[in-house]
Amino acid sequence: MPAACPHPDRLRAHLQALAHQLLERETAVHLLLLGALAGEHVLLIGPPGTAKSELARRLHRAFDGARYFERLLTRFSTPEELFGPLSLKALEADRYERLADGYLPTAGIAFLDEVFKANSAILNALLTLLNEREFDNGSGRVRTPLVSVVGASNEAPADESLLAFHDRFLLRVPVAPVGDGAFTALLQLQDAAPPALPAPITAAERAAIAAARDTVALGEDALAALGALRAVLQQQGAVVSDRRWRQLVGLMRCAALTEGRDRIDALDLWLVPYVVCADTEAVPRLAAWVAEQVVGAVPQAAPWLERAVQAFEQQLEIEQALPAEGSEAGDDSAGKLALARAIGGADDSGMLRVVAASLEDKMRRRFSPVHKAARTAQVDELLQHTEAARAPVAHALAALRQRLAGRLWLPPALAEAWCAAHAQTLALLDGLHARLLRCRAGFDSLLVDEALPGVVPPAVALD
């Protein structure tokens, strides 16, 4: 990473400051700061009271010299509210110019609430400002210092006339109310001093990122995954413009560069749902596709192993329950055992319990050493299958954790969810392994009669 770019530790400190006491907002926080560093605009979609404006206000403090502008838009909003009043002196000289100082054309970070409710006059002026970073003032076009516009809306626009403006926001981030798991923490939040802000990101550092990010290579695995993604979107009838694809790659390059990497890899596709999805409902579905098809982070079932373990458990129950040879024909051991248990329940000496145990052993079926060895060998073979199934999953989890180390922008909750998918598979296999070990111990505890013929028992049916 070029020395002129901000260090990842400093960017991490900015993320912590942005997320201070905002529950379940880490994805929005990461995307806001990354989008601003990449010079892209971000749309926050969610109901009122979900900290959308607070996120924008905090974002502007991360950038040195960035002036902040905020407006709530309605259909009655006028251009003067956003771009400044007309200059009377200019009108006297037959010039149509605005006094833009302190308004949107001079802002670095801007927050536009209910952004799609503005009228067409405002939206048309915003299109040029957002896309070109320029503002038409009178007969001239003025360059603006705009870093990023954060828009907010309750929902994505349904009106086709708004689609061009909607497309100006590269990142579209769902922001939902706090879930049930964090509701208690929300109620117990108390005012606390925010963490000390790190040095703000300068214009020179942003320029260094913009100049260096094109040196980041697009890895073959990422390129292949993007190709597969495009095919999936085409099958679903989703349209993604060429410009948006290139902006997506630029965003991933920015993420890799600021993490100190010189190559985009397939894990960077976690950003895709927030770029290509036109509505918030599609985001979870595409995120699941990335997790399954790109990362391979999906819990795996082991139906054959589960059936096999269950078959051995049932076989062990059968063999442990078999009565001793001849016990069915006049053997009164069962009656003696019932009497010993009844009396032994009130016996403090434990002697009758010893008698009961001896009677239980007498009533149990004896097996030949060959039978016992065959059963334990069959279980050992299945244990080897379980260990063989576990090895690649454990390797995949370790490899994924290694790839995730040092990732700055990937939300920790998402990284943990990817790892948890492999961990869930390991837990399943470990549980089957533990059940097999108990089966082995059970077969190993079968009573043996050396005098019995050494007949190998039929294999346990696994299907």
Side-chain angles (χ1 to χ4, degrees):
M1 182 175 66
C5 296
H7 193 275
D9 289 342
R10 190 159 133 244
L11 294 175
R12 188 172 284 109
H14 276 294
L15 290 174
Q16 292 171 354
L18 277 168
H20 177 64
Q21 289 199 314
L22 296 180
L23 303 176
E24 298 183 347
R25 295 292 176 266
E26 65 175 18
T27 298
V29 163
H30 285 65
L31 292 173
L32 268 178
L33 186 55
L34 175 60
L37 284 176
E40 300 293 351
H41 308 300
V42 183
L43 178 64
L44 302 178
I45 305 175
T50 49
K52 298 188 293 293
S53 59
E54 177 62 20
L55 283 168
R57 294 184 191 115
R58 294 185 183 189
L59 178 66
H60 108 271
R61 295 197 290 268
F63 293 92
D64 185 44
R67 301 173 71 175
Y68 181 69
F69 180 83
E70 177 178 333
R71 281 293 183 277
L72 170 64
L73 301 184
T74 71
R75 59 177 179 167
F76 302 111
S77 296
T78 63
E80 285 76 15
E81 294 178 51
L82 270 72
F83 309 116
L86 292 173
S87 170
L88 296 179
K89 289 186 177 180
L91 285 175
E92 291 174 356
D94 295 330
R95 297 197 312 273
Y96 190 88
E97 296 178 358
R98 295 188 180 277
L99 299 175
D101 188 43
Y103 291 85
L104 181 56
T106 61
I109 300 293
F111 176 66
L112 302 180
D113 200 3
E114 298 297 345
V115 66
F116 298 115
K117 292 185 177 179
N119 55 57
S120 59
I122 289 178
L123 293 178
N124 289 335
L126 284 173
L127 280 173
T128 301
L129 194 147
L130 267 63
N131 197 44
E132 306 294 337
R133 274 17 181 230
E134 293 179 344
F135 172 64
D136 292 323
N137 196 3
S139 60
R141 179 167 283 194
V142 181
R143 190 70 182 171
T144 69
L146 189 61
V147 176
S148 178
V149 168
V150 180
S153 177
N154 292 339
E155 58 187 1
D159 190 341
E160 290 188 3
S161 64
L162 295 173
L163 294 183
F165 185 63
H166 181 241
D167 190 59
R168 291 300 187 268
F169 294 93
L170 179 66
L171 289 158
R172 300 142 177 180
V173 186
V175 182
V178 167
D180 293 341
F183 182 66
T184 300
L186 175 69
L187 298 181
Q188 294 176 340
L189 272 179
Q190 297 180 354
D191 291 337
L197 289 175
I201 302 162
T202 66
E205 288 174 323
R206 289 191 290 110
I209 292 173
R213 73 179 187 181
D214 286 342
T215 64
V216 176
L218 180 57
E220 292 184 3
D221 59 339
L223 188 59
L226 287 170
L229 169 66
R230 189 185 189 196
V232 169
L233 293 174
Q234 288 174 339
Q235 291 175 357
Q236 297 175 353
V239 178
V240 181
S241 67
D242 294 345
R243 178 181 62 192
R244 185 163 285 269
W245 282 115
R246 288 185 56 81
Q247 287 177 301
L248 169 62
V249 173
L251 185 70
M252 293 193 292
R253 282 194 165 111
C254 182
L257 176 70
T258 50
E259 287 176 351
R261 294 183 284 122
D262 61 0
R263 181 177 297 273
I264 296 172
D265 62 28
L267 297 187
D268 290 311
L269 266 72
W270 75 270
L271 291 162
V272 162
Y274 305 99
V275 174
V276 305
C277 292
D279 57 80
T280 56
E281 288 77 13
V283 170
R285 295 195 299 269
L286 192 53
W289 182 89
V290 172
E292 179 179 350
Q293 300 297 325
V294 179
V295 185
V298 59
Q300 300 293 326
W304 180 85
L305 277 175
E306 291 191 72
R307 291 195 301 270
V309 171
Q310 186 176 12
F312 272 95
E313 289 172 335
Q314 292 172 346
Q315 184 64 33
L316 177 61
E317 289 179 4
I318 292 172
E319 295 187 4
Q320 286 179 330
L322 287 174
E325 295 288 349
S327 62
E328 299 87 352
D331 195 336
D332 63 349
S333 296
K336 293 178 181 178
L337 176 59
L339 177 63
R341 283 174 173 167
I343 300 175
D347 181 45
D348 293 334
S349 67
M351 291 298 297
L352 287 176
R353 282 191 287 274
V354 173
V355 173
S358 176
L359 288 172
E360 284 180 342
D361 283 348
K362 183 178 179 182
M363 293 181 65
R364 289 172 57 191
R365 176 73 59 91
R366 264 64 175 171
F367 298 88
S368 72
V370 172
H371 179 100
K372 178 176 176 178
R375 285 287 185 247
T376 55
Q378 291 167 2
V379 176
D380 286 340
E381 183 179 359
L382 194 55
L383 281 167
Q384 291 177 0
H385 282 293
T386 306
E387 292 163 358
R390 189 187 192 282
V393 180
H395 180 269
L397 176 58
L400 179 59
R401 289 192 187 280
Q402 184 176 6
R403 294 178 67 188
L404 292 173
R407 298 277 169 159
L408 170 65
W409 302 110
L410 184 72
L414 179 57
E416 188 55 37
W418 287 351
C419 293
H422 293 305
Q424 184 175 336
T425 304
L426 288 178
L428 170 66
L429 295 174
D430 288 343
L432 294 175
H433 191 272
R435 288 166 62 184
L436 282 173
L437 288 177
R438 289 193 291 271
C439 276
R440 194 189 193 287
F443 285 120
D444 197 48
S445 67
L446 293 175
L447 298 179
V448 171
D449 186 345
E450 300 284 349
L452 290 174
V455 178
V456 176
V460 176
L462 303 183
D463 295 328

